[in-house]
Structures are given as structure tokens and as C-alpha cells.
Amino acid sequence: MKKTIFLSLAIMAMVGLLSSCAVNLNGVTANYSRINNYYVNNNFRDGTHKLVIQNQQDFESVFGDAAVMGRNGQPTSIDFRHQFVIAVILPETNRQTTIETALLRRNGDRLYFSYIIDEGHSTSYTMRPFTAVVVDRNEPSYVVFQRVTRQDLENAGIQYTGPGTNRPRL
């Protein structure tokens, strides 16, 4: 009898633990725009960082301009009076790594920033993978970061086709 009760409690605890790890893909899609032509400053501390950046000074302490020649070569303009930035930065690596914003959803007083990490082959150089998006200040600034997989999105009935997908723009 005691074994049956203990086993039942253990199973309920495991189910509760596994369900609390599930990603939240509910809510209303929030508008965002990916920032382009920036890099992570060399003096920014290594490691994984999930950031909500509210002002220009904090932004400049993390990112530097990386303008390039040609059309759309200027860094994305950010107006911190009306916008803020959500960013995920990974540790320096010698593997070809991309971080792609999969979803940005508003659910109540929170934004759920879902992203996918793809690791590729080894390279002869190192890089500091990151993704960052600009969001209107009318959206909640409390952000829940969720690393998701394509399977998570598929299970939720969300079609994701990768970086070439047209995203909502500000």
C-alpha cells in the first residue's frame, strides 16, 4: 500500500515537473523588428546573456555599430524614447552558430521571446552569436525568454520556415 502511494506521488511529481518545463507559445503576436549591422563589443563579458535594454547607454555598452557598404548597410535606428531592445547573446564559439527569433508573443503583462539556436560546423575563427529585436514601448517590458525547437513550434501548430520567413515589422 505504501509503495503504491509513494509510486503515485512520484509519478504526479514528475508530471508536474515536466509540464512546468513546457514552453508557452500562447498569446498575441507582438510586432518587432530585427536589428541589423551591430556586433557584440569585445569588452562585454563572455557567457550567455538574455537582456532587455531600455536606454542608449546600456545598448552601447553591449553593442557596437557595424555599418557596411551598399543598400541597407547602416545599423538599424533605435529610438529608446519609443522602443526597447530584447537580445540573446551566447558565449564565444568556433562553431557556426545562429540564433533566430521564432516568436514574440504577448500574454497578459508579459512578452514571451522564443528563439531557436542552430549550431553548425567548426570554423577556423571565433564568433559571438546573438540576436536582438526592437519592440515598441507599448508592449510589456517583462520578458520571458524561451529556447524552443522547431518541433515545439510544430507541436503548437505554428509553422516556422526559418530565417527567410517574413516577420512582423514595426
Side-chain angles (χ1 to χ4, degrees):
M1 179 71 160
K2 286 184 180 181
K3 287 183 182 181
T4 305
I5 293 173
F6 178 76
L7 184 59
S8 297
L9 289 174
I11 290 172
M12 287 190 305
M14 287 184 66
V15 167
L17 179 64
L18 291 175
S19 65
S20 68
C21 294
V23 296
N24 182 346
L25 299 174
N26 298 323
V28 178
T29 300
N31 288 330
Y32 66 92
S33 180
R34 185 169 187 221
I35 69 166
N36 294 307
N37 301 330
Y38 287 96
Y39 62 89
V40 177
N41 289 329
N42 289 336
N43 60 355
F44 188 68
R45 63 193 184 282
D46 199 21
T48 300
H49 302 278
K50 299 170 184 171
L51 307 170
V52 177
I53 303 172
Q54 300 285 350
N55 61 60
Q56 187 72 36
Q57 182 179 4
D58 290 346
F59 183 80
E60 290 174 355
S61 72
V62 178
F63 295 104
D65 294 354
V68 296
M69 297 290 286
R71 192 172 153 204
N72 299 324
Q74 292 299 313
T76 304
S77 177
I78 304 166
D79 180 357
F80 281 99
R81 291 173 294 159
H82 303 288
Q83 300 169 317
F84 64 96
V85 172
I86 301 171
V88 174
I89 304 169
L90 297 180
E92 191 173 288
T93 180
N94 70 340
R95 299 188 68 77
Q96 187 63 40
T97 305
T98 59
I99 309 170
E100 183 63 32
T101 302
L103 291 172
L104 184 62
R105 298 264 175 121
R106 177 180 55 253
N107 194 347
D109 63 346
R110 296 180 177 172
L111 279 179
Y112 289 84
F113 183 78
S114 303
Y115 59 95
I116 296 172
I117 299 175
D118 284 323
E119 280 191 90
H121 62 279
S122 293
T123 64
S124 60
Y125 57 89
T126 60
M127 63 181 299
R128 190 78 189 270
F130 78 94
T131 191
V133 297
V134 179
V135 182
D136 281 338
R137 283 212 183 265
N138 62 358
E139 297 291 354
S141 61
Y142 184 88
V143 178
V144 177
F145 293 87
Q146 303 181 122
R147 180 177 178 179
V148 297
T149 65
R150 286 173 180 77
Q151 186 65 49
D152 293 332
L153 298 174
E154 186 179 304
N155 291 344
I158 298 168
Q159 183 179 2
Y160 176 76
T161 58
T165 305
N166 289 332
R167 304 258 186 259
R169 296 288 177 217
L170 294 175

